[in-house]
Amino acid sequence: MTHVLSSLRRACGDRIGRLRCSGRQDQGMTTSEYAVGTIAACAFAAVLYKVVTSGAVLSALQSLIKDALDAKF
């Protein structure tokens, strides 16, 4: 059984090594991924800001804070 597992690991390792060394270059991908992620985070923050500062949410938050401060213990 261990012989089968070791040969399977060796075969998979050879395939992974060939895929890594196939001449494919991914230079610059991390920079573009960071840029897209930053733009997405900024867009999400803008949408969240608009939602939180809307009239309905603002009045609900004020009501929640008022009820919490007026609570009787």
Side-chain angles (χ1 to χ4, degrees):
M1 183 69 175
T2 57
H3 177 43
V4 172
L5 289 176
S6 64
S7 63
L8 182 62
R9 285 186 190 129
R10 188 173 42 246
C12 289
D14 291 344
R15 287 186 182 150
I16 290 171
R18 274 186 265 135
L19 288 174
R20 283 185 189 159
C21 299
S22 65
R24 207 178 95 185
Q25 294 179 351
D26 286 337
Q27 293 178 350
M29 287 299 293
T30 55
T31 304
S32 64
E33 289 170 357
Y34 281 126
V36 170
T38 302
I39 290 169
C42 290
F44 180 71
V47 169
L48 189 62
Y49 177 76
K50 285 291 189 181
V51 168
V52 170
T53 58
S54 69
V57 174
L58 196 57
S59 66
L61 286 174
Q62 287 175 345
S63 172
L64 181 71
I65 292 171
K66 182 180 177 290
D67 290 343
L69 291 176
D70 290 340
K72 303 283 189 242
F73 289 106

